Amino acid sequence: MSNYDYLIVGSGLFGSTFAYEAAKRGKKVKVIDKRDHVGGNIYTYEQNGISVHKYGAHIFHTSDKKIWEYVNQFAEFNRYTNSPIANFNGEVYNLPFNMNTFNKLWGVVTPKEAKEKIAEQIKNAKINKDKPQNLEEQAISLVGTDIYEKLIKGYTEKQWGRKATELPSFIIKRLPVRYTYDNNYFNDKYQGIPIGGYTQIIDKMLSSDLIDVELNTDFFNNKVEYLEKYPKIIFTGMIDQFFDYQFGTLQYRSLQFDTKVLDCDNFQGNAVVNFTDNKTKYTRIIEHKHFEFGKGENDKTVITYEYPKSWSKGDEPYYPINDALNNELYNKYKDLADKQHKVIFGGRLGMYRYYDMHMVIKEALNLVSKELC
Ligand code: FAD
Ligand code: UDP
């Protein structure tokens, strides 16, 4: 037996939050991660004085005051408000769908005019309006056919590698539809990005003397030994892999990031630009300096192209695909997980959920109150 109370597999936000809370309560913790850095997908590093979000744009947002205060103890946040723009074959629109978008599309000026335009398009669409059956029907019944065709269909089908008619409707419900001139992508009360990047949050969470971190270490290279040696394991990797894919493989969506440093002070004038046509291979370009303030003087800029990619074993599983079939399969793994008490599954991959950062912290704190209080 080791002298640790917990082995935590994965130093992402879930594992690190749990590690921090466990150490605060006097528990001795070992954290392993197969990557060569901590932080999982929220990891940021500095390049030419700019914080680079290595695994895609990360904006913290929540309406939960406790979670906002919790995360603010580890970093000071700026006042960044996510206002991506959509580029459809060179036409530029504001996101999320709001009066600025409607005005640019149709020349409408008042909310009443916009509502009438959308209602007319919904009326003429041949879809199941009372109970949308898939993402396409859900999208059209929210914003009509023009927005669906220009701003949703191409982006969504690239992002998920499936027809919008084969995707669950909840994905599109993440996006607000607003009849005000407000380009804030999120509805939440609190929003921002840590000044100096996200990695400092994880570094602080893992800084206790009671926590040892081992990088470049894959749980599956030593699974049997870990299970024997540690009294309790918090596992934030893929739940289906943990159980040797015995019921079949859960599906994920992967991504490829192509990051470039450019000799130019301002490449696209906005942190996030979505490319919503179906010909452009990438879904978005992010320009990292615009997530921060006061970086305009810097004569270099760092940009990242984000290419969606199908997932197969060995690829990074960025997004769980929470359709009915995968959720059913996940539930079988969850039943197995519930039948034993040594390993607790958490985070986006362990719980197979499309969780944002605030939800991951909340889940980790829920576990803390069950496990440690
Ligand atoms: P992860 O960050 O995936 O961490 C899991 C860790 O476990 C990883 O470090 C991995 O290397 C390690 N691991 C896995 N298997 C093993 C193994 N076998 N052995 C050892 N280590 C292992 N959320 C927001 O709130 N706002 C956003 O704007 C936002 N944007 C996003 C953009 C993209 C492109 C993506 C992919 C996600 C985004 N998210 C966003 C979600 C956010 O990234 C997650 O909520 C959060 O990172 C999940 O933390 P986690 O600890 O569950 O998982
Ligand atoms: N979406 C879209 N057009 C856009 C942005 C988003 O159709 O310009 C859809 C797409 O289906 C995406 C979903 O809205 O998967 C949720 O968007 P979000 O920005 O939350 O995606 P994530 O940050 O998870 O990649």
Side-chain angles (χ1 to χ4, degrees):
M1 267 300 195
S2 78
N3 60 348
Y4 291 99
D5 297 297
Y6 289 97
L7 171 71
I8 299 184
V9 182
S11 64
L13 195 53
F14 190 96
S16 299
T17 303
F18 188 86
Y20 173 76
E21 292 296 332
K24 224 166 81 178
R25 290 162 178 77
K27 306 289 182 198
K28 196 158 165 44
V29 178
K30 169 78 154 265
V31 179
I32 60 168
D33 202 298
K34 63 180 178 183
R35 292 185 182 166
D36 63 2
H37 60 72
V38 293
N41 291 337
I42 73 170
Y43 174 73
T44 52
Y45 62 94
E46 200 181 304
Q47 169 87 57
N48 294 87
I50 297 163
S51 277
V52 177
H53 299 211
K54 181 170 167 114
Y55 302 99
H58 276 77
I59 299 103
F60 199 96
H61 56 97
T62 181
S63 287
D64 187 329
K65 193 166 185 221
K66 280 199 192 111
I67 299 291
W68 182 242
E69 284 169 355
Y70 186 82
V71 76
N72 271 267
Q73 68 182 300
F74 302 105
E76 187 186 345
F77 279 67
N78 69 18
R79 57 155 187 86
Y80 180 80
T81 300
N82 197 26
S83 317
I85 56 171
N87 181 325
F88 177 73
N89 297 325
E91 295 169 29
V92 168
Y93 297 96
N94 286 111
L95 293 173
F97 314 123
N98 74 85
M99 285 306 297
N100 290 307
T101 328
F102 309 144
N103 174 266
K104 181 94 185 263
L105 267 169
W106 307 308
V108 294
V109 172
T110 64
K112 182 169 177 282
E113 288 167 349
K115 281 183 185 163
E116 281 168 5
K117 185 83 190 169
I118 288 173
E120 180 196 316
Q121 294 196 355
I122 297 173
K123 196 171 129 218
N124 295 333
K126 290 190 183 65
I127 53 161
N128 186 342
K129 283 154 212 161
D130 300 328
K131 216 167 168 235
Q133 295 299 308
N134 54 55
L135 193 150
E136 176 171 292
E137 292 194 347
Q138 179 69 64
I140 294 175
S141 63
L142 282 172
V143 286
T145 41
D146 284 354
I147 291 183
Y148 174 67
E149 293 295 337
K150 288 192 169 187
L151 303 180
I152 297 176
K153 189 173 192 292
Y155 184 96
T156 297
E157 294 188 346
K158 280 193 290 193
Q159 171 86 328
W160 295 99
R162 293 182 181 193
K163 295 256 168 262
T165 47
E166 291 162 13
L167 284 164
S169 49
F170 82 90
I171 293 176
I172 200 67
K173 286 200 216 145
R174 286 167 62 93
L175 297 195
V177 179
R178 271 194 215 117
Y179 292 91
T180 51
Y181 287 90
D182 178 0
N183 298 327
N184 182 352
Y185 200 63
F186 301 116
N187 280 330
D188 286 312
K189 263 196 205 155
Y190 310 102
Q191 181 172 181
I193 290 181
I195 298 167
Y198 285 92
T199 307
Q200 62 180 314
I201 294 179
I202 302 293
D203 284 343
K204 283 185 198 153
M205 284 178 163
L206 298 178
S207 64
S208 162
D209 291 343
L210 291 172
I211 302 176
D212 291 326
V213 180
E214 205 176 285
L215 298 174
N216 303 303
T217 304
D218 191 326
F219 175 80
F220 293 107
N221 290 340
N222 264 317
K223 180 177 172 185
V224 175
E225 197 190 318
Y226 288 131
L227 285 168
E228 270 170 16
K229 268 177 64 182
Y230 288 85
K232 208 97 199 238
I233 298 177
I234 309 294
F235 184 84
T236 72
M238 291 155 55
I239 188 168
D240 53 339
Q241 186 180 16
F242 182 90
F243 290 114
D244 301 320
Y245 306 106
Q246 59 184 273
F247 300 129
T249 309
L250 286 166
Q251 289 177 307
Y252 302 87
R253 192 73 180 141
S254 197
L255 296 169
Q256 191 182 316
F257 299 102
D258 183 11
T259 297
K260 294 181 172 24
V261 182
L262 303 181
D263 274 323
C264 117
D265 66 340
N266 187 2
F267 174 74
Q268 63 182 13
N270 205 38
V272 184
V273 179
N274 290 358
F275 291 81
T276 57
D277 62 292
N278 62 6
K279 300 245 159 42
T280 308
K281 294 275 180 271
Y282 41 86
T283 43
R284 43 192 172 192
I285 300 179
I286 63 176
E287 186 168 10
H288 301 264
K289 65 167 25 174
H290 299 306
F291 288 124
E292 303 174 271
F293 296 91
K295 300 285 160 132
E297 300 296 302
N298 190 333
D299 59 1
K300 298 243 192 289
T301 196
V302 184
I303 61 168
T304 301
Y305 294 83
E306 191 173 313
Y307 294 89
K309 210 165 102 101
S310 59
W311 177 88
S312 49
K313 279 184 197 165
D315 292 335
E316 282 292 346
Y318 288 106
Y319 295 106
I321 299 185
N322 290 108
D323 60 9
L325 268 181
N326 281 293
N327 285 344
E328 201 179 304
L329 183 54
Y330 164 72
N331 283 334
K332 290 190 182 169
Y333 286 115
K334 168 107 179 38
D335 284 347
L336 267 192
D338 290 344
K339 285 195 182 106
Q340 52 79 58
H341 299 288
K342 186 161 201 150
V343 186
I344 299 173
F345 295 82
R348 238 191 197 201
L349 302 174
M351 298 165 103
Y352 197 68
R353 301 262 168 80
Y354 193 20
Y355 277 147
D356 281 332
M357 291 179 276
H358 62 286
M359 297 159 165
V360 164
I361 294 180
K362 192 163 189 168
E363 285 296 340
L365 293 178
N366 282 346
L367 177 61
V368 168
S369 55
K370 274 195 233 145
E371 193 44 38
L372 294 165
C373 293

